[in-house]
Amino acid sequence: MLNYTKAAGITGKLGPDEQEYVKEIFTTPGDTSLPVSPAPTWFLRAIQAGSKRTYEDLRAEAIAFDNWGIIADLHRYHKDDEKLARLNHLHEQLALECDGLRKAKALTLARLESAHAPLHLSHACSLYSNSTSPPHSPRGMSSREGCSNHKWQKNSVRGRGCPL
């Protein structure tokens, strides 16, 4: 037997963004002798976020039925479904954006590798290995001053690898 001890509701006077309130109740709503069965498809479609007009009609019928527990639960389900739909859409957008960025990074790295950028820029490796600044820091690049470009080309031609 179900034992309900609290009910959620809204007054309906403060607009669509009104917060629900929770009250203790001291009786079990509905007929507990009837078996609980899954909601039919028409009902599930009516309370989903995408069916605003059908939901409003169903809500009006619930108000006429005068069962505030059902009214509150309809409202809660509909609002939660709206929020879930928004979050699912955002999740899909972010997943697509992440996928696009991964592909863009892979393509850019492939272009850098095909341009032999590591070979041409191998002098930077020693700069970063001797620097306390992060590799993206302009201060790390300034430590190269005083070294001739010829010295770096000579080292890279000999095929010396980066000690990192």
Side-chain angles (χ1 to χ4, degrees):
M1 176 159 137
L2 297 175
N3 184 11
Y4 297 98
T5 58
K6 295 187 181 193
I10 59 171
T11 64
K13 296 178 182 177
L14 300 176
D17 295 329
E18 177 180 356
Q19 293 294 316
E20 298 90 9
Y21 62 87
V22 177
K23 284 289 218 178
E24 282 193 61
I25 56 174
F26 300 97
T27 61
T28 302
D31 186 355
T32 58
S33 66
L34 294 175
V36 176
S37 59
T41 305
W42 69 265
F43 183 79
L44 292 173
R45 285 189 183 134
I47 62 177
Q48 289 177 343
S51 46
K52 190 74 171 168
R53 181 180 169 152
T54 310
Y55 165 73
E56 291 298 332
D57 291 342
L58 189 65
R59 186 169 176 266
E61 191 173 332
I63 291 170
F65 183 61
D66 199 30
N67 184 319
W68 290 100
I70 290 175
I71 296 166
D73 284 340
L74 285 174
H75 175 76
R76 178 51 160 252
Y77 185 95
H78 188 73
K79 290 297 177 188
D80 287 349
D81 196 52
E82 284 179 335
K83 186 174 183 179
L84 185 60
R86 279 192 312 271
L87 291 174
N88 279 332
H89 181 69
L90 178 61
H91 179 264
E92 289 169 8
Q93 285 180 318
L94 291 173
L96 288 172
E97 188 174 346
C98 287
D99 190 44
L101 287 172
R102 282 187 203 100
K103 288 176 182 175
K105 280 178 52 180
L107 288 171
T108 303
L109 181 59
R111 284 194 305 270
L112 286 167
E113 290 170 342
S114 68
H116 305 288
L119 177 66
H120 295 299
L121 304 174
S122 63
H123 68 279
C125 180
S126 62
L127 291 174
Y128 297 132
S129 64
N130 295 329
S131 173
T132 58
S133 301
H136 61 277
S137 169
R139 287 186 291 139
M141 294 302 288
S142 65
S143 65
R144 150 178 145 166
E145 291 175 14
C147 297
S148 71
N149 195 22
H150 174 74
K151 179 181 175 185
W152 294 119
Q153 288 175 349
K154 182 178 165 186
N155 287 341
S156 59
V157 168
R158 289 186 183 161
R160 293 185 184 170
C162 180
L164 290 175

